[in-house]
Amino acid sequence: ETEGSLLLRMFPMRYFEVTVKNPRGCSAADAVACAREWCVAVGVSTRSFPLLRKQPGWDQRSAAVHSDDGGFFYDMSQHQTGLYFGPGDTVGCGIRLDTQVPVMFYTLNGKLHGLLCWVCGVGVGACRTRPRHWWPTI
C-alpha cells in the first residue's frame, strides 16, 4: 500500500471541481445566449457509463446536476436543486464514502450549495453500486 492510498483511505469522501468555460464559437458577450443552448452535467458515474451520446444522470450508472435546469438526475428521475451554473462558474462535486447509500454535495464558486441525500430505491431507482465505485464525470 502506498502512502497516497493510505491517506486517501483516511478521508471518507472524494471531491472534484470544474470551471465552466464558454462553448466553442461563443464570445463572452454571447455567453448567456449560448448557455441556454447547451448543458454541462457535473456528477459521478460507474466505469460502465457510456461517455458519448448520453448525459450523466440519464441511467442508473450515473448521477449529476445539469447546468441548464438545475436538476439533479439519476436514472432519469429529476430532483430540483436550484443549482444553476454557466460560463465562469466553478462547480464542485463531492461524494461521501462512509455511507451505505450515496450522499453527494455540491459547491458553487467555493460555497457549499447543499447536501443531496441520494436515497436509492426511494423515488430514484435502485442503487446497486457502493459510493466508492463512482468516478468524476463531466
Side-chain angles (χ1 to χ4, degrees), residues 26 28-38:
C26 288
D30 298 333
V32 173
C34 287
R36 290 187 189 122
E37 298 177 18
W38 57 271

Side-chain angles (χ1 to χ4, degrees), residues 51-90:
L51 295 176
L52 298 174
R53 297 183 185 91
K54 186 180 276 193
Q55 285 278 29
W58 286 0
D59 69 16
Q60 290 183 349
R61 296 171 291 176
S62 62
V65 167
H66 293 191
S67 65
D68 62 340
D69 57 14
F72 174 79
F73 289 85
Y74 170 72
D75 194 23
M76 289 301 293
S77 294
Q78 181 181 9
H79 172 74
Q80 187 51 246
T81 66
L83 180 61
Y84 298 94
F85 54 94
D89 289 326
T90 298

Side-chain angles (χ1 to χ4, degrees), residues 99-119:
T99 58
Q100 287 297 318
V101 295
V103 176
M104 295 178 68
F105 63 92
Y106 282 88
T107 62
L108 181 60
N109 300 320
K111 296 181 180 174
L112 182 64
H113 182 74
L115 296 176
L116 288 170
C117 292
W118 177 12
V119 182

Side-chain angles (χ1 to χ4, degrees), residues 3-14 97 132:
E3 182 178 321
S5 65
L6 178 63
L7 286 172
L8 285 175
R9 284 193 316 120
M10 292 172 59
F11 296 102
M13 69 168 204
R14 297 294 184 262
L97 302 177
R132 67 180 64 248

